Amino acid sequence: MLDVCLLGTGGMMPLPKRWLTSLMCRYNGSSLLIDCGEGTQVAVKQKGWSFKPIDVICITHYHADHISGLPGLLLTMGNAERTQPLTMIGPKGLERVVHALRTIAPELPFPIRFLEITEPEQDFQVKDYQIHAFRVKHNVTCYGYSIEIKRSGKFDLERAKALDIPVCNWNKLQHGETVEIDGNIYTPDMVMGASRKGLKVTYTTDTRPAESIVKAAKDADLFICEGMYGEEGKEEKAIEYKHMTFREAGTLAAKAQPKELWLTHYSPSLTKPWEYMEQVTELFPNAKAGKDGMSVDLIFDRE
């Protein structure tokens, strides 16, 4: 099961009931954060989740509304007695930007591993998270992310018995290890079925519509997409500032065909985004206006 929570759905500035951009995923005792806008710590506490298990932080770009909450979060993680390494992923300049922000958080009890994105598309594996970064169209270098939890095939008990593989080695094969028994080599593919469908969340903000987004969000269990402007007449503003309208987000979802679409990253002037959802649902029916604290438990398909 993959837990997903929209911690903050605001763009540009926080509002009394809307923190700035952030998303958290939890799987198998580990947490992954995308962006860390102002209010992220409060949102995590309001949700009742923990800071200590955060193993990965992905940053879309270096505008303040997406990263200004980072120094305080790092301090809190340190105060929670975290000692394990933290992995951070982001566009070029990540290490320089984070070191600058850490002027007010200079001492941490854990190391940070920086993975800078250097290609239009790039993949990373951290713990159980398969992370796909893809370039989008903003006025600075910006990336979206797909987070996948892969799922191996079923263990073929009868095949393992037929090969006379001792029970003590079954677990290793199930977890992708090769074993040697009396000079014979046994590989996982000898006892494992075909890979099964995993779980996938695609997240993108601060961008104009792009084919890279459609490609990344294809068949996702959940597609979380910027909806900066819902009101009519905001199309030129969206183009000027490299953002997206509700209708454009709905069009992307209609092309990508995820199971569900959530909108996020609203303009401060858009105080009631749910009132503008009809233009989205007429394009993609299974769409919702995201709100702070909105969450879902994604579950593997039963087979």
Side-chain angles (χ1 to χ4, degrees), residues 26-84:
R26 303 192 305 176
Y27 181 76
N28 199 21
S30 172
S31 297
L32 177 148
L33 192 70
I34 301 181
D35 283 342
C36 188
E38 188 177 343
T40 296
Q41 290 194 74
V42 178
V44 172
K45 295 300 289 184
Q46 287 176 331
K47 186 62 181 175
W49 289 5
S50 175
F51 305 101
K52 191 173 181 179
I54 298 174
D55 291 312
V56 192
I57 300 177
C58 301
I59 302 297
T60 59
H61 64 295
Y62 304 129
H63 280 162
D65 55 335
H66 293 258
I67 199 171
S68 58
L70 186 62
L73 176 68
L74 294 175
L75 283 173
T76 297
M77 291 171 66
N79 290 334
E81 300 179 350
R82 180 191 177 89
T83 56
Q84 300 95 332

Side-chain angles (χ1 to χ4, degrees), residues 167-229:
V167 175
C168 61
N169 290 287
W170 290 2
N171 185 263
K172 291 181 179 179
L173 290 165
Q174 285 178 289
H175 287 83
E177 296 182 38
T178 296
V179 297
E180 181 177 353
I181 305 167
D182 298 329
N184 296 313
I185 302 297
Y186 298 94
T187 57
D189 61 283
M190 299 170 71
V191 293
M192 300 298 293
S195 296
R196 293 170 287 177
K197 183 183 181 303
L199 298 171
K200 177 181 175 182
V201 176
T202 299
Y203 182 92
T204 185
T205 70
D206 290 54
T207 178
R208 295 294 298 144
E211 284 304 312
S212 62
I213 301 172
V214 175
K215 179 182 174 183
K218 184 173 176 56
D219 300 326
D221 294 276
L222 177 61
F223 175 32
I224 302 174
C225 183
E226 170 185 351
M228 189 77 172
Y229 305 110

Side-chain angles (χ1 to χ4, degrees), residues 93-288:
L94 174 67
E95 188 168 2
R96 173 180 54 80
V97 171
V98 173
H99 281 324
L101 290 170
R102 283 190 56 198
T103 300
I104 57 173
E107 296 182 8
L108 298 174
F110 54 87
I112 299 177
R113 180 173 66 133
F114 295 98
L115 301 177
E116 298 195 350
I117 308 167
T118 58
E119 304 294 334
E121 296 184 32
Q122 199 162 338
D123 294 315
F124 305 90
Q125 178 77 43
V126 184
K127 290 189 175 287
D128 292 314
Y129 301 108
Q130 180 68 42
I131 303 163
H132 176 68
F134 54 96
R135 183 77 178 263
V136 295
K137 295 182 179 180
H138 195 35
N139 53 19
V140 298
T141 302
C142 185
Y143 285 84
Y145 293 95
S146 283
I147 309 301
E148 291 191 70
I149 304 296
K150 301 292 188 180
R151 193 183 187 197
S152 61
K154 291 183 178 180
F155 181 73
D156 191 332
L157 180 64
E158 296 306 317
R159 181 62 178 160
K161 289 180 178 179
L163 291 169
D164 291 323
I165 301 175
V167 175
C168 61
N169 290 287
W170 290 2
N171 185 263
K172 291 181 179 179
L173 290 165
Q174 285 178 289
H175 287 83
E177 296 182 38
T178 296
V179 297
E180 181 177 353
I181 305 167
D182 298 329
N184 296 313
I185 302 297
Y186 298 94
T187 57
D189 61 283
M190 299 170 71
V191 293
M192 300 298 293
S195 296
R196 293 170 287 177
K197 183 183 181 303
L199 298 171
K200 177 181 175 182
V201 176
T202 299
Y203 182 92
T204 185
T205 70
D206 290 54
T207 178
R208 295 294 298 144
E211 284 304 312
S212 62
I213 301 172
V214 175
K215 179 182 174 183
K218 184 173 176 56
D219 300 326
D221 294 276
L222 177 61
F223 175 32
I224 302 174
C225 183
E226 170 185 351
M228 189 77 172
Y229 305 110
E231 312 95 321
E232 292 294 328
K234 294 288 183 127
E235 293 80 10
E236 289 186 8
K237 195 169 186 179
I239 293 171
E240 179 182 359
Y241 293 105
K242 300 293 192 296
H243 285 289
M244 215 183 306
T245 66
F246 275 32
R247 187 174 297 278
E248 288 171 328
T251 300
L252 289 178
K255 292 180 179 179
Q257 287 299 303
K259 288 185 178 179
E260 188 170 4
L261 167 68
W262 291 1
L263 297 189
T264 189
H265 197 268
Y266 306 121
S267 165
S269 65
L270 190 63
T271 56
K272 297 179 180 180
W274 55 88
E275 293 183 348
Y276 301 90
M277 285 301 294
E278 185 176 348
Q279 61 186 304
V280 182
T281 55
E282 68 182 15
L283 295 166
F284 185 80
N286 196 17
K288 297 176 181 176

